[in-house]
Amino acid sequence: MTITLFGAVGTLISFIIISLGAIKFIKKMNIGSLEIGDYLAIGAIFSATDSVCTLQVLNQDETPLLYSLVFGEGVVNDATSVVLFNAVQNFDLSHMSSSIALQLVGNFLYLFITSTVLGVAVGLLSAYIIKKLYFGRHSTDREVAIMILMAYFSYLLADLFYLSAILTVFFCGIVMSHYTWHNVTESSRITAKHAFATLSFVAEIFIFLYVGMDALDIEKWSVVSDSPGTSVWVSSILLGLVLVGRGAFVFPLSFLSNLTKKSPHEKIYLKQQVTIWWAGLMRGSVSMALAYNQFTKYGHTKLRGNSMMVTSTITVVLFSTVVFGLMTKPLVRLLLPTPKHLSIMVSSEPVTPKSFTVPLLTHGQDSEADLSSHSVPRPTSLRMLLSKPTHTVHHYWRKFDNAFMRPVFGGRGFVPYVPASPTDLSVHQWH
């Protein structure tokens, strides 16, 4: 609930503040022919965060709640920003009125709900295919191929029906991690995890390489070279709006979230709030992609306003990534110092394919291949947050899930262990 509050409601608040700030400050600077739709698009562009830097520094075992909030809010934030951007693009906002505003809100809700339903449906279909159908069963290459192709299939369907593809893939991934992931063999899980991690890393690097090479495009910068001071001011205003828009929802929403929490371990304290606020200051690939989508329709080297916004977006992305990114580790270490015994335990733990999957396993339920061996104490994981049933919406969802969903679509505890290959079977029997 807190992740949705931060990711959806918080992004909406940040979108409103950045859009209104852009209209108030940038519009008066006469940088070019920008319309009201462009200023609303600026709000969506700079509402998309990139919290990868902070996630690399945070310790998942030490602060599981904070880690889950930063990670979950970052993903939901990206999806919400893209949906907002698509909703803004679908309307002619040159003559704004109350009916247009209501249609904009309705279009946003339509995109959000339909994209979510489509992602959930494709995720359930992938789980049912791997669990019930024969082809691909217990074959690592086929199981991994089915998971990758079904995830890509959800993206294609969303794009075909003009929905939010990133939101569809996001919810498809959630459903696949809850059902499909547990229907495949252990070697398929390790392979899929490494495959998706590698593809994600390559895509992220490609985006930043593209941004770096495009930043050296002299023709684009020559359009705004006659007023470098204006370009600096626009970038500074956008960066200031990012800071204000981020703080405008992190601290108030954290206060509201704490009012609903009874346990002190579930509350978000001030140092954690500052960390969450800082984690969302970086801007990355989503902001760049949306900026190019909005301001390069007619050629950013021809229109001064479009060129100014593209160059300002590049400046904000590079500045926030380099400066704020370099300051992230010292800040997190200052706010959340790591105990010495935990740092020694984490640093001494070997990094192997087996240990790579340990955080994905529920506390007290190790991998099937280790059931016959002696019990090894595992560090607490992110999923320990979900291991204690409480009489909330999540509690009743778990009851419904165990009674109806998992028997049909599979999941943890509902799929018998089958070795990945005859080699694994012989090794397992030898142990």
Side-chain angles (χ1 to χ4, degrees):
M1 184 63 183
T2 306
I3 293 177
T4 305
L5 187 68
F6 276 63
V9 179
T11 304
L12 286 173
I13 296 175
S14 179
F15 163 76
I16 294 173
I17 291 178
I18 295 176
S19 298
L20 293 178
I23 294 174
K24 181 176 179 58
F25 297 106
I26 299 179
K27 190 175 183 180
K28 297 180 180 179
M29 301 180 67
N30 192 23
I31 63 173
S33 57
L34 296 181
E35 300 177 352
I36 184 66
D38 295 321
Y39 291 107
L40 294 179
I42 291 174
I45 290 169
F46 290 97
S47 296
T49 65
D50 188 357
S51 55
V52 175
C53 272
T54 309
L55 291 174
Q56 296 296 324
V57 178
L58 287 178
N59 192 313
Q60 180 180 353
D61 298 321
E62 180 187 356
T63 56
L65 176 61
L66 182 61
Y67 189 94
S68 63
L69 286 177
V70 173
F71 174 76
E73 187 258 335
V75 177
V76 178
N77 164 273
D78 286 345
T80 307
S81 300
V82 174
V83 173
L84 281 171
F85 182 82
N86 292 336
V88 169
Q89 280 196 324
N90 290 339
F91 285 92
D92 180 14
L93 302 175
S94 56
H95 303 286
M96 196 66 178
S97 62
S98 58
S99 61
I100 294 295
L102 290 177
Q103 292 179 11
L104 182 63
V105 174
N107 188 45
F108 168 76
L109 295 177
Y110 165 77
L111 289 175
F112 198 95
I113 295 174
T114 51
S115 301
T116 300
V117 172
L118 180 61
V120 171
V122 176
L124 292 176
L125 179 62
S126 69
Y128 188 82
I129 287 177
I130 291 182
K131 183 176 184 294
K132 295 294 184 180
L133 300 185
Y134 177 77
F135 66 88
R137 185 176 298 173
H138 309 150
S139 172
T140 298
D141 52 351
R142 295 179 183 178
E143 287 179 338
V144 174
I146 291 175
M147 286 192 289
I148 294 177
L149 291 176
M150 290 302 294
Y152 185 58
F153 179 64
S154 67
Y155 177 90
L156 293 179
L157 284 180
D159 192 60
L160 177 65
F161 294 110
Y162 301 99
L163 302 177
S164 175
I166 187 173
L167 191 65
T168 300
V169 172
F170 171 62
F171 280 98
C172 179
I174 291 179
V175 175
M176 291 180 69
S177 67
H178 190 67
Y179 298 109
T180 312
W181 178 265
H182 301 281
N183 295 343
V184 300
T185 59
E186 188 174 6
S187 62
S188 297
R189 299 179 194 177
I190 298 174
T191 305
K193 187 67 178 179
H194 284 287
F196 280 111
T198 303
L199 292 174
S200 174
F201 180 77
V202 170
E204 190 82 13
I205 293 298
F206 175 80
I207 289 293
F208 279 102
L209 286 175
Y210 183 84
V211 172
M213 291 186 294
D214 191 72
L216 300 177
D217 182 14
I218 304 301
E219 183 181 7
K220 175 174 68 274
W221 291 91
S222 62
V223 178
V224 297
S225 61
D226 59 334
S227 55
T230 303
S231 179
V232 173
W233 270 110
V234 172
S235 302
S236 301
I237 291 173
L238 291 174
L239 194 61
L241 291 175
V242 168
L243 294 170
V244 175
R246 185 74 186 167
F249 76 86
V250 169
F251 300 104
L253 293 184
S254 298
F255 175 76
L256 295 177
S257 177
N258 290 338
L259 294 179
T260 62
K261 307 297 183 182
K262 296 181 179 180
S263 173
H265 299 287
E266 298 178 350
K267 293 186 176 182
I268 309 172
Y269 295 99
L270 181 60
K271 292 184 178 180
Q272 295 176 326
Q273 295 176 24
V274 174
T275 304
I276 296 173
W277 171 74
W278 185 269
L281 295 182
M282 277 71 77
R283 295 297 179 265
S285 56
V286 176
S287 296
M288 286 304 311
L290 296 182
Y292 278 111
N293 189 297
Q294 178 68 23
F295 297 109
T296 59
K297 293 180 179 179
Y298 307 105
H300 56 262
T301 59
K302 299 179 181 180
L303 299 178
R304 183 171 182 270
N306 287 2
S307 179
M308 183 72 71
M309 291 315 305
V310 170
T311 55
S312 298
T313 303
I314 294 176
T315 303
V316 172
V317 169
L318 294 179
F319 181 86
S320 62
T321 302
V322 175
V323 177
F324 294 160
L326 290 176
M327 296 172 61
T328 297
K329 187 173 183 178
L331 180 65
V332 172
R333 294 304 181 213
L334 178 64
L335 295 175
L336 305 170
T338 304
K340 293 183 178 180
H341 69 279
L342 185 57
S343 61
I344 294 175
M345 181 187 68
V346 173
S347 61
S348 62
E349 184 178 357
V351 180
T352 62
K354 184 71 68 177
S355 64
F356 193 78
T357 61
V358 167
L360 300 171
L361 301 173
T362 303
H363 180 68
Q365 295 182 1
D366 293 333
S367 61
E368 293 87 343
D370 295 335
L371 290 178
S372 60
S373 62
H374 62 279
S375 60
V376 179
R378 302 291 188 187
T380 57
S381 66
L382 178 62
R383 298 214 171 199
M384 285 190 65
L385 292 173
L386 308 179
S387 62
K388 297 180 180 179
T390 56
H391 294 283
T392 59
V393 175
H394 177 260
H395 170 68
Y396 294 108
W397 157 249
R398 291 293 294 269
K399 293 180 64 177
F400 173 79
D401 189 28
N402 293 335
F404 300 101
M405 300 296 290
R406 290 188 181 184
V408 177
F409 299 103
R412 185 176 63 249
F414 285 80
V415 179
Y417 169 71
V418 178
S421 64
T423 304
D424 292 345
L425 179 60
S426 60
V427 173
H428 179 65
Q429 291 177 346
W430 177 262
H431 285 292

